[in-house]
Amino acid sequence: MDILSCARAFVAVAHRQSFSAASHDERTTQPVVSRRVAALEVHLGGALLERSTRQVSLTPFGAAILGHAQAVLTAERALLDAAESHRRGTVRLLVPPDHDPALWAALRLRALGAGTDLQIEENDRERRSLRFRLGEADAAILPVETARADWVVPLGLAQATDRTRPLTLAALRPTRAMLPHEAWRITVLAEDASDQLLTLLQESAAESGLAAHQVYESPSVVSALTGALAGEDWVLCTQEQATAWRLQWFEVRGLRVARAYRLESGSTDFRKLFGTILGREIAVALGGAMRGQS
């Protein structure tokens, strides 16, 4: 049995709720789609679709299986894409999210000029690490300790504010007249929410007299920006991100925190490409600098 064809027929019928519509999408006949679904049901040991009504619907077993069938097709697509990329000589690079896409586009143009078709994909910190370990990319920009970093990106606090004076953590201490929810909060984006950075920030905040609840990880960039644009919270970010988000950025006195990134790749050729040819462009896109350069 061709399980991929059968899974594709099942998913098509489930989405279209019709064998005839699914056969049109699959560019085959309705009897062929019916036979493929029936073969999958026999193979899996249960009915996937309820056919007793004019509109086809999923059985409980089918509803439980549908996501797995879709995952099989997604994996097939990823396999074909990877093969096509390698045939074309494409290099797949995973990068951090929430940066100016025009800067990544400029990096891709620079790579094309160097003879490399660079495919750039944004993923969060954990997803980049997982996908690279699974072999779904040729290279990835991953967070590391500063001593091992290729690029270091200084972080500061940003808010929609008219403040011009330098900023210290002590300036964010709550006053006695403030209720707990009125105190300024420092929001940390998911990209920076490592245990090490959070601990450093929380310890520094405590030493400056801030309450524990004033430092927290934001559930999303939108949530963090909502508070920062309202002038209620400060978001930890790069200067370039603050500019893009229309926020005033401050380097915080007495607090030195940064993102540290390293290019991880199984190929020395890729490290040479990204380090010597594209290293400066990557630094610009990340909002930082290459190690050993100002």
Side-chain angles (χ1 to χ4, degrees):
M1 184 186 74
D2 182 353
I3 195 166
L4 286 174
S5 296
C6 293
R8 192 175 295 108
F10 165 54
V11 170
V13 175
H15 285 172
R16 298 283 285 183
Q17 298 181 311
S18 164
F19 279 90
S20 60
S23 65
H24 181 270
D25 291 347
E26 293 299 303
R27 297 181 180 181
T28 187
T29 64
Q30 183 173 334
V32 169
V33 170
S34 298
R35 286 198 299 271
R36 288 174 178 172
V37 172
L40 185 62
E41 290 175 322
V42 171
H43 187 70
L44 297 179
L48 299 170
L49 299 169
E50 175 59 61
R51 301 168 174 81
S52 61
T53 60
R54 294 184 63 183
Q55 187 177 54
V56 178
S57 60
L58 289 167
T59 65
F61 181 57
I65 292 298
L66 180 60
H68 298 284
Q70 291 172 319
V72 169
L73 300 181
T74 299
E76 178 202 20
R77 185 69 262 167
L79 173 63
L80 295 175
D81 288 345
E84 178 64 20
S85 293
H86 283 287
R87 283 197 300 271
R88 294 198 311 263
T90 300
V91 175
R92 302 179 70 179
L93 172 67
L94 305 181
V95 303
D98 308 319
H99 290 277
D100 186 347
L103 296 177
W104 292 127
L107 173 66
R108 185 163 189 267
L109 283 175
R110 178 85 162 92
L112 287 170
T116 298
D117 183 5
L118 183 63
Q119 181 177 332
I120 299 174
E121 299 180 29
E122 291 185 318
N123 286 129
D124 62 38
R125 177 165 49 99
E126 293 183 359
R127 181 69 175 159
R128 292 199 309 278
S129 179
L130 176 62
R131 291 190 63 199
F132 179 70
R133 289 201 309 271
L134 292 176
E136 295 181 4
D138 302 296
I141 298 174
L142 300 179
V144 294
E145 60 273 17
T146 303
R148 296 183 57 237
D150 294 319
W151 301 278
V152 177
V153 187
L155 296 173
L157 295 181
Q159 187 190 71
T161 177
D162 295 328
R163 182 187 182 94
T164 57
R165 303 186 308 278
L167 183 67
T168 63
L169 287 178
L172 306 183
R173 284 196 301 244
T175 66
R176 292 183 178 180
M178 283 182 174
L179 296 174
H181 71 275
E182 294 175 328
W184 275 316
R185 297 186 301 177
I186 298 173
T187 61
V188 181
L189 303 177
E191 182 66 22
D192 304 309
S194 66
D195 291 339
Q196 182 179 4
L197 187 144
L198 278 174
T199 298
L200 174 62
L201 186 56
Q202 289 166 345
E203 289 176 349
S204 299
E207 291 172 359
S208 299
L210 275 67
H213 71 269
Q214 287 184 258
V215 178
Y216 82 108
E217 179 183 352
S218 176
S220 69
V221 174
V222 171
S223 177
L225 291 183
T226 300
L229 289 169
E232 298 171 354
D233 297 335
W234 293 83
V235 59
L236 187 73
C237 64
T238 70
Q239 188 170 8
E240 286 71 17
Q241 286 175 320
T243 300
W245 295 336
R246 298 179 177 85
L247 302 176
Q248 186 75 12
W249 187 85
F250 295 86
E251 182 178 1
V252 183
R253 287 185 174 179
L255 179 68
R256 298 191 64 82
V257 290
R259 294 173 187 161
Y261 291 117
R262 179 178 174 83
L263 178 79
E264 298 293 351
S265 171
S267 168
T268 56
D269 290 338
F270 291 160
R271 280 201 60 82
K272 180 179 179 181
L273 169 69
F274 292 118
T276 61
I277 299 176
L278 304 178
R280 290 182 180 274
E281 283 79 5
I282 293 176
V284 171
L286 293 173
M290 294 182 67
R291 287 294 304 277
Q293 300 182 13
S294 57

